[in-house]
Amino acid sequence: MLLERRGEAAHVTFRNGHCLNAEDNRLIADLETAVDVALLDDRVRVGVLRGGPVTHPRHAGKRVFSAGINLKELRSGAISFVGFLLGRELGYINKMARGLLLDGPAAGGTGVAGKPWVGVVDSFAIGGGMQLLLVLDRVIAEEGAFLSLPAADEGIVPGLGNLRLTRLTGARTARQIILSGRRIHTGDPAAALLVDEVLPTAALDGAAERAVRELAGPAVAANRAMLTLAEEPIDLLRAYLAEFAVVQARRIYSADVLAKTERHRARSERIPS
């Protein structure tokens, strides 16, 4: 991860370029640290998430938001159930959505250090990458980018995507995305349900700066907290996570999931370096 403070914004950049900025145990831990720092810095009013350039042969030199869970790491047993599959939901994603409970100036007198977040999507946001977008306050995407949640095809549950996607897209589109693997391209009318702005690559930096200015107001954090409370009451979150922990434990190491990760490994090894 790269964390930079630029004016009132904390820019958090994924730098796992060899695997298309896919998530693994280390990235999850580093990302939670970056989110903590951004939330605790009282000079920061807005967080910005973006993927850095990658070295993968198919996209070498291009920015990519995230390819989701690292399937090679999953196959090898290096993805932790508690630390990764539960930890990302209860850790950095929950902190981005709800903030940190604390006392002092960073809490703004509310007891919670919560801040709005902007996502800039280059190329694609797959799996966990798309899940992240569901808790952000502004999503800006590159023309030609796409979003997808292929977890059902992979054999697992896409985190809290099943809980959060429906309220953005409606039940029918959510089922198409989660159960059938439908990709949402930026030119698709359904993209307007998930993305605020679609722009040429050259315009993304300016759009992110504009979003930071618009979301840096003193009342934004309080209002986004009330929106989260209305959209996702804490008891609903707890009930979902309790069931998710059981279902995902059954799915993650099942025979069909391991077989699919093995096929993914075989395909990736055929790609020339």
Side-chain angles (χ1 to χ4, degrees):
M1 304 301 304
L2 174 65
L3 174 62
E4 304 170 283
R5 187 178 62 248
R6 304 180 201 163
E8 293 185 300
H11 287 256
V12 181
T13 305
F14 307 131
R15 297 180 66 173
N16 218 9
H18 72 284
C19 58
L20 299 174
N21 291 325
E23 292 182 316
D24 52 32
N25 278 15
R26 180 176 177 182
L27 186 141
I28 291 301
D30 290 349
L31 184 50
E32 183 160 4
T33 299
V35 170
D36 283 345
V37 172
L39 291 174
L40 291 170
D41 188 340
D42 58 11
R43 293 165 291 184
V44 168
R45 306 296 292 272
V46 182
V48 179
L49 286 181
R50 192 172 186 182
V54 302
T55 58
H56 189 281
R58 286 183 179 172
H59 303 273
K62 281 184 58 63
R63 282 183 177 268
V64 167
F65 188 74
S66 175
I69 191 171
N70 188 320
L71 294 176
K72 288 184 179 179
E73 297 281 288
L74 178 61
R75 171 187 170 272
S76 68
I79 295 295
S80 164
F81 175 71
V82 173
F84 183 107
L85 294 167
L86 297 183
R88 69 189 297 273
E89 307 299 343
L90 292 164
Y92 81 89
I93 297 180
N94 191 53
K95 291 175 180 180
M96 290 172 64
R98 287 181 161 77
L100 287 169
L101 288 174
L102 77 167
D103 296 318
T110 66
V112 176
K115 297 172 183 178
W117 290 86
V118 176
V120 181
V121 179
D122 299 89
S123 302
F124 50 76
I126 298 174
M130 182 175 174
Q131 293 169 35
L132 270 178
L133 304 183
L134 305 182
V135 301
L136 304 184
D137 303 284
R138 185 75 55 83
V139 177
I140 302 160
E142 177 185 34
E143 288 180 346
F146 71 86
L147 318 177
S148 71
L149 281 177
D153 179 63
E154 293 166 352
I156 58 178
V157 178
L160 271 73
N162 304 60
L163 175 66
R164 293 170 172 153
L165 185 62
T166 298
R167 69 170 177 257
L168 295 176
T169 66
R172 192 56 49 206
T173 299
R175 279 168 169 74
Q176 293 168 7
I177 293 169
I178 293 173
L179 304 182
S180 302
R182 175 183 171 185
R183 288 183 174 185
I184 303 297
H185 294 265
T186 52
D188 188 327
L193 302 172
L194 297 161
V195 175
D196 296 284
E197 294 183 81
V198 177
L199 298 167
T201 306
L204 295 177
D205 288 341
E209 292 175 4
R210 186 169 60 252
V212 168
R213 290 194 299 270
E214 293 173 357
L215 294 174
V220 170
N223 277 288
R224 78 182 295 270
M226 297 306 292
L227 284 169
T228 299
L229 180 64
E231 294 169 349
E232 191 177 284
I234 192 68
D235 287 343
L236 173 63
L237 176 69
R238 289 168 175 159
Y240 179 93
L241 282 168
E243 187 67 19
F244 168 75
V246 175
V247 173
Q248 191 75 304
R250 291 171 176 161
R251 293 302 312 150
I252 197 66
Y253 303 118
S254 60
D256 65 293
V257 171
L258 298 178
K260 287 174 181 176
T261 59
E262 178 62 27
R263 289 196 294 272
H264 173 81
R265 179 200 62 80
R267 286 196 304 271
S268 65
E269 289 182 350
R270 291 196 295 268
I271 297 172
S273 59

